[in-house]
Amino acid sequence: MYNVGVWGPGSMGVIALRGVIDHPQLRLVDLVVHSEAKAGRDAGELCGGAPVGVTATRDPGPMLAGDADVVVYAAGANLRPLEAVADMVSILRAGKNVVSCSVVPLVYPDAVDEAFTGPLREAALQGGASFLTTGIDSGFANDVLPLVLTGVSRAIESVRVTEIFNYATYPDRSAVYEILGFGKPPEYRAFAAQPGIFTFGWGAVLHQLAAGLGVTIDTVEEDNERVAATESFDTPTGHVAAGTIAAMRSTLTGYVSGRPTFVLDHVTRMRDDIAPDWPQPHITIPPKDLGYGLASGRGLYRVEIEGSPSMRCEFEMAEDHDHDLGARIAGASRMVNAIPAVCAAAPGLLSALDLPQVTGAGLVRPVPGPPPDSRLF
């Protein structure tokens, strides 16, 4: 049994919190929140269940001084990566392992600037603790899954992973409308659309794929396209006016010996029929009718490997026909299920390449009830 603390029950963290509470091999002992509205509430009630006797607090001190073996750190970090790193440094220095989804490039620390990894590495060694960043993309769909598939290859010419998602039901309005810039005029300088940001966030994944296959990437090219809506429409999270951005496509290409060998392609829409010439998902689980036309939150991950044999794998997940919620459950569950392996690992910064296969050990059971959704709390 592992004692677990959770820091940041937001769109991913609230699902991880429920996962920790429900997991037969884990015991929740601490919960740190950022908002006054969540402080003082019972952790079980915060994620839609019965009280569990753990009260949320804004003070991380008791967690750092307590008996948690590992902390799930899921606090938002899109606009505060160095602050998130400082939080995680304090946890590691206190001798507690960390499993996180917050600072995305840390899925493969070897390819990340020393300004981020140096303090974490020093704190991990000082505290005798291990650190892993994981999730769904990155953390599984665009790194672990394609590497597993290459295990049946005779020869590999290229690996392409495409995320195709409708973000209409994604509950983090700041991420959708401010960071990604949906619903904003084309001249709005959205953070995610600025040159170099996609490379910073996901470039490490290209290098992880290369390292997993024993090659080195020479150069990385980034491309970003945006498409405006031709008509106004509403989504479950907000309004998209005609002439404002309604779809974005970001692509990274890693070259090996001058050849385009690894490609990450993110195709993000606010309505399914926007940018119809871009890759489309072949959905087998019909999206739930949310009453907003084609604003369905549908999506999947597509892995295409050219070689011998050539392969194509489509990874679709949904919860109550909501593909966005399904993906967040998968990413949060990946964090929770990785806890035993991270606790057993040697101190230091880890990637998926350093761990044994992470499975759902202990989870063969009836579904314990509906998952929490941060839109409800």
Side-chain angles (χ1 to χ4, degrees), residues 170-186:
Y170 191 73
D172 188 339
R173 286 183 50 83
S174 173
V176 173
Y177 296 98
E178 302 299 328
I179 295 174
L180 293 173
F182 290 126
K184 301 290 187 182

Side-chain angles (χ1 to χ4, degrees), residues 268-299:
T268 308
R269 299 177 170 91
M270 290 297 284
R271 201 171 75 177
D272 295 341
D273 60 343
I274 306 293
D277 54 320
W278 291 355
Q280 294 278 2
H282 301 135
I283 294 300
T284 59
I285 303 172
K288 189 174 184 179
D289 182 5
L290 300 174
Y292 289 87
L294 296 175
S296 62
R298 71 175 189 165

Side-chain angles (χ1 to χ4, degrees), residues 190-350:
F191 176 78
Q194 295 181 29
I197 294 300
F198 192 53
T199 300
F200 169 75
W202 277 266
V205 175
L206 291 179
H207 293 285
Q208 184 178 24
L209 290 172
L213 296 178
V215 297
T216 301
I217 289 176
D218 307 320
T219 59
V220 174
E221 290 186 357
E222 174 182 307
D223 184 60
N224 187 281
E225 303 175 70
R226 297 190 296 164
V227 170
T230 58
E231 62 182 15
S232 299
F233 60 93
D234 290 313
T235 80
T237 58
H239 181 73
V240 177
T244 65
I245 298 301
M248 182 168 71
R249 183 178 186 180
S250 300
T251 308
L252 291 183
T253 304
Y255 289 79
V256 177
S257 300
R259 298 175 59 249
T261 305
F262 301 100
V263 180
L264 297 181
D265 194 4
H266 278 197
V267 178
T268 308
R269 299 177 170 91
M270 290 297 284
R271 201 171 75 177
D272 295 341
D273 60 343
I274 306 293
D277 54 320
W278 291 355
Q280 294 278 2
H282 301 135
I283 294 300
T284 59
I285 303 172
K288 189 174 184 179
D289 182 5
L290 300 174
Y292 289 87
L294 296 175
S296 62
R298 71 175 189 165
L300 53 71
Y301 297 94
R302 179 176 296 151
V303 180
E304 297 167 289
I305 300 173
E306 295 299 326
S308 176
S310 291
M311 298 175 238
R312 174 175 169 139
C313 175
E314 296 206 340
F315 177 37
E316 180 185 359
M317 67 228 84
E319 180 71 29
D320 193 22
H321 298 268
D322 186 334
H323 293 78
D324 166 72
L325 180 55
R328 286 188 285 119
I329 292 171
S333 299
R334 173 77 178 174
M335 284 194 290
V336 172
N337 294 336
I339 285 174
V342 172
C343 289
L349 306 190
L350 307 172

Side-chain angles (χ1 to χ4, degrees), residues 144 148 334 337 341 352 355-360:
V144 175
V148 168
R334 173 77 178 174
N337 294 336
L355 294 179
Q357 182 174 340
V358 173
T359 71

Side-chain angles (χ1 to χ4, degrees), residues 27-61:
R27 179 191 297 114
L28 181 73
V29 294
D30 294 289
L31 176 61
V32 173
V33 298
H34 286 188
S35 73
E36 287 284 2
K38 295 178 181 178
R41 297 179 62 185
D42 185 271
E45 295 175 340
L46 262 179
C47 57
V52 296
V54 176
T55 302
T57 176
R58 298 183 68 191
D59 179 11

